[in-house]
Amino acid sequence: MLIVIPEVFTKDQVREIRALLDDSQWIDGNQTSGAQAALAKQNKQIAIESQIREQLGNEILSALGTNPLFLSAALPHKILPPLFNRYDVGDGFGIHVDNAIRPVIGTKERIRTDLSMTIFFSEPEEYDGGELIIETQFGPQSVKLEAGSGILYPSTSLHKVTEVTRGSRISSFFWMQSMIRDEGERTILFDLDQSIQRLTMELGAKSPQIIALTATYHNLIRKWAEV
Ligand code: NI
């Protein structure tokens, strides 16, 4: 399931974040790649240990922490610190899959990557190329969102970023371990939660049917979640 999370940041917030990103120091993007991915990758990143990366990464985590659509779709357990990349003219990232297990930098902890997220910080008209192409069971899906919006997709998917032919594409990307490991179970919970939200608007939160469905939702989480 590919889910667009619109307006994680407002346009004013995007302007502030972009000002900091444009002023940052960018290094070779292969600092974070697995061996196979490194062969396909040509881009720039902000160093993991950089203070500005940490500050902006925390802004992303707190924005997502109060985003109902993101929380409903991801049911996140642990989110790795967000990273930032920039693709200039000639840069791209060939087809690859991300590593299944990633270390949490600065700790002994590791997480399983269930979901990947990209948040765009360049407007689509600022650059040509640079589409995120995700292979799905319904064929390849091309993603290029407005600045401030993000896409959540299963980390099991093969994906690539097409070569940029004009301008620069700046985004944040990161991985997370979901409380619900299985993609099918996660999709059922997302669909159920979205239906409950819509029905609540029609029937009101005190409706006995809504209360019963909400109990079913939580009972399924209780059955399937790892925390
Ligand atoms: Ni990747």
Side-chain angles (χ1 to χ4, degrees), residues 34-81:
Q36 185 216 4
L39 297 173
K41 186 179 193 180
Q42 168 72 45
N43 68 9
K44 288 103 192 160
Q45 280 178 206
I46 296 178
I48 292 174
E49 53 280 0
S50 134
Q51 194 245 319
I52 201 75
R53 189 218 53 74
E54 190 178 341
Q55 179 195 324
L56 295 177
N58 287 339
E59 278 184 40
I60 289 174
L61 295 179
S62 54
L64 292 176
T66 57
N67 186 303
L69 183 62
F70 169 78
L71 295 172
S72 174
L75 292 167
H77 178 34
K78 293 171 184 165
I79 308 179
L80 279 170

Side-chain angles (χ1 to χ4, degrees), residues 74-75 77-78 99-100 111-116 152-157 175-183 186 226:
L75 292 167
H77 178 34
K78 293 171 184 165
N99 284 359
I111 76 154
R112 186 187 63 236
T113 55
D114 294 322
L115 288 162
S116 306
L152 191 63
Y153 63 98
S155 304
T156 47
S157 323
W175 299 272
M176 66 207 80
Q177 183 169 323
S178 176
M179 291 188 286
I180 310 297
R181 178 179 195 157
D182 182 83
E183 158 83 4
R186 208 183 307 120
E226 310 159 6

Side-chain angles (χ1 to χ4, degrees), residues 93 96-98 153 159 175:
F93 199 160
H96 67 281
V97 73
D98 298 336
Y153 63 98
H159 58 280
W175 299 272

Side-chain angles (χ1 to χ4, degrees), residues 1 54 70 104-105 127 139 156 197 205 225:
M1 191 172 45
E54 190 178 341
F70 169 78
V104 183
I105 302 294
Y127 60 100
T156 47
Q197 299 309 323

Side-chain angles (χ1 to χ4, degrees), residues 89-109:
V89 172
D91 289 348
F93 199 160
I95 192 99
H96 67 281
V97 73
D98 298 336
N99 284 359
I101 304 290
R102 298 195 75 97
V104 183
I105 302 294
T107 72
K108 288 185 176 154
E109 207 184 346

Side-chain angles (χ1 to χ4, degrees), residues 183-196:
E183 158 83 4
E185 292 172 354
R186 208 183 307 120
T187 302
I188 290 170
L189 288 168
F190 177 65
D191 291 343
L192 179 57
D193 186 42
Q194 294 300 298
S195 295
I196 292 172

